[in-house]
Amino acid sequence: MRLSHLLTRFAVFVFVALVCTFAARATVRVVEDVSVTSVREELVDEGLAWASVLGDGLQLVLEGQAPSEASRFRAMSTAGRVVDASRVIDNMTVAESDAIEAPDFAIEILRNDSGISIIGLIPTSSDRESLANRLAAIAGDAEVADFLETADYPAPPGWRGVTDYAIRALRLLPRAKISVSAEQIEITATADSPERKSELEAELARNAPSGVARAISITAPRPVISPYTVRFTRAADGSAEFDACAADGPEPERQIISAATAAGFEGRSPCVQALGAPSSQWADAVSTAIEALGELDGGTVTIADADVTLQGLETTDAETFERVAGELENALPEVFALATNLPRPVEQTPAGPPTFTVTRSPEGAVQLRGGIEDDLDNVTAENYAAAKFGASNVTMGTRITEGLPQGWSVRVLAGIEALAQLSQGSVIVRPDSISVRGKTGQVDAPTIITTLLIDKLGPTEEADLDIEYVEALDPTTGLPTPQECVDQIGVVTQGRKILFDPGSASLTSDSQAIMDDIAEILQKCPDIPLQIAGYTDSQGRETMNQQLSQDRANAVLDALRVRRVPISAFTAEGFGEADPIADNDTADGREANRRIEFSLLERETEEEQTGLEQMEAEAAAEGEADTETSAADDPDAEIEAETSEE
């Protein structure tokens, strides 16, 4: 009985234990399921669906790849708000973050009469102080507003070239906006005149960085023309041409050219858009006059300010001419007045009409031949030609002639002035016409000549122009290349020496003529990257020789500056006794090694120099050479000017 009683109690205990165990497990499973479900729902609500939740008894395991460390922390915090944070196990990973991309470096420079402002982002490695000094030198007394920021990233490829080019451009442009990035440079500027606009475009095209897109827009104010002139000629065969053309805008120009095309004109518009039109109806008056000329068998129509002159040919029917003239007079706008001229054959004397000829050779020699009224007019013509071409270039072959037409001396002076617009050619003056033939580097030379003939001789003057534009004669396109400039320096210094006082950097008086010749060449070579290198022989201490060579290179640079050579792109560097070109053990060899070399600078790689570091080097070259002169053990310090190509 007693043993049975004990067994019964043990069995009950075991049963109760088993029931409690199963109940506990069931409770844990319920708590686990509820916790997992609650945490998962909360994570989804917070936008953290990437995280998965696993139950492990009363503990919760968070797994998954978090896009960032911040997202991982948010997932842990979210789970900790639902259950006890101590029950949450972090088994999450964080995705590798992409490398932070370098920012887009860019600067924008504005320059006007009040100063310079610069804004943008540049690499930290750039020498900001040097850039500020460069801008201050350009601004002069005006203010420089610096709003640049920096970022500690490597300078992108091409950054050096565009920043250097931008500073060069800023020197040329007193009113400009320059936008710079590593891939492109945009320049918007204004010029004082169309001629200056052409010069700036030519200069900006030189030494432009390769591989960088350039967008350059330079505007110039329209010139003022007086008298405001259009001259249109139509030949008997139906061909037509402009001797001069002025329009007060794009639309008036199109209207004039349209009327001229209908009258037989072919080719591109020669019209100059300019100020000075006498009326807002200028284009209406011009096109109406050209249309009237188209009804004749040929002739010329000249509109000078508000005066319109219609001239027919000797073969033009008088009745037709009168009809066309009457219709034109009534069709012209109110402010315009019409004059007509219908020439008839002139009886010629056996000797022919008097002529006066002025010729100019390609070498610049000018000769005047033909009849002149009296000694006073002859002296006047000679002095006028001397003023235009130089007295040493003028040869007189004139003769005093009686019976010349009235106003002959005025016609002679007008012919001389017309020839001055040509690089070579001839002008033949007759009583009823002036013939101009030749070549020029001015695109608008025909317009200039026609305008001055009308101004001097009147709108009915018959002018026969045959003028050829030659690009090689244009001063804006005939500039030498950088290498040609250095080659020319080699020519003028061949067999000549730039001399210095012994042991110093002072140029001798004998060297001034050589410097004048070099300066004359470099004035035609703006902004070429030129290095002026100084060398010595091996006598004396090495440090003193290096300093002496630097001082002498600076002295040459200063001599060019005094001669008004643009030296912003030049550098002066002393190399001491390095790179000898002859034996220092002989007197002749030492003399050869004491030299100045002019050479073109090669563009360096991005690793060698950043853009702003190059600016600093150029700024140093532009500064005044104020270092103390050191005397080397060199009794006869002569430097030979040579050229070399790197």
Side-chain angles (χ1 to χ4, degrees), residues 228-232 242 244-246 256 282 286 290 301-304:
Y228 211 73
T229 306
V230 168
R231 186 169 197 157
F232 184 74
F242 284 96
C245 181
I256 293 171
W282 170 259
V286 173
I290 292 175
V301 62
T302 304
I303 305 95

Side-chain angles (χ1 to χ4, degrees), residues 27-91:
T27 301
V28 169
R29 187 175 295 108
V30 171
V31 172
E32 178 183 325
D33 292 342
V34 171
S35 299
V36 169
T37 301
S38 299
V39 171
R40 183 178 292 123
E41 291 176 351
E42 188 68 17
L43 289 173
V44 172
D45 291 342
E46 291 293 324
L48 304 171
W50 52 267
S52 60
V53 185
L54 301 178
D56 185 11
L58 295 179
Q59 292 181 326
L60 297 180
V61 180
L62 296 185
E63 296 183 342
Q65 188 177 66
S68 65
E69 190 63 41
S71 297
R72 178 179 182 174
F73 180 77
R74 284 183 57 206
M76 290 291 295
S77 300
T78 300
R81 291 199 304 267
V82 178
V83 299
D84 192 321
S86 62
R87 293 171 53 196
V88 181
I89 304 301
D90 181 5
N91 198 25

Side-chain angles (χ1 to χ4, degrees), residues 109-127:
I109 310 174
L110 300 176
R111 183 185 181 190
N112 52 35
D113 296 337
S114 61
I116 297 174
S117 64
I118 182 170
I119 187 172
L121 183 67
I122 61 175
T124 302
S125 59
S126 302
D127 190 340

Side-chain angles (χ1 to χ4, degrees), residues 187-198:
I187 299 176
T188 303
T190 59
D192 295 331
S193 65
E195 293 77 14
R196 183 55 179 161
K197 174 179 179 292
S198 299

Side-chain angles (χ1 to χ4, degrees), residues 233-281:
T233 301
R234 187 167 182 266
D237 60 2
S239 61
E241 62 180 359
F242 284 96
D243 291 332
C245 181
D248 52 345
E251 186 56 38
E253 180 180 359
R254 284 191 287 270
Q255 182 179 348
I256 293 171
I257 297 302
S258 177
T261 301
F265 174 75
E266 296 179 355
R268 299 178 59 183
S269 169
C271 295
V272 177
Q273 294 186 24
L275 303 176
S279 168
S280 59
Q281 295 179 292

Side-chain angles (χ1 to χ4, degrees), residues 632-645:
D633 298 330
D634 186 355
D636 183 19
E638 296 179 342
I639 293 183
E640 179 179 0
E642 299 180 356
T643 61
S644 67
E645 179 179 356

Side-chain angles (χ1 to χ4, degrees), residues 156-238:
W159 180 254
R160 177 193 58 79
V162 293
T163 52
D164 178 57
Y165 181 74
I167 296 300
R168 295 181 188 277
L170 194 68
R171 291 183 182 277
L172 299 172
L173 305 169
R175 292 174 294 278
K177 172 185 175 183
I178 303 177
S179 301
V180 177
S181 68
E183 295 80 20
Q184 69 176 26
I185 181 166
E186 299 180 7
I187 299 176
T188 303
T190 59
D192 295 331
S193 65
E195 293 77 14
R196 183 55 179 161
K197 174 179 179 292
S198 299
E199 292 175 1
L200 290 173
E201 290 172 340
E203 292 180 23
L204 290 174
R206 298 166 61 90
N207 301 316
S210 59
V212 178
R214 292 183 300 125
I216 299 177
S217 175
I218 300 178
T219 59
R222 294 177 182 175
V224 178
I225 295 179
S226 180
Y228 211 73
T229 306
V230 168
R231 186 169 197 157
F232 184 74
T233 301
R234 187 167 182 266
D237 60 2

Side-chain angles (χ1 to χ4, degrees), residues 542-554:
E542 183 177 351
T543 55
M544 296 181 67
N545 284 337
Q546 196 283 329
Q547 184 61 55
L548 180 61
S549 66
Q550 181 66 58
D551 292 343
R552 288 175 169 175
N554 288 338

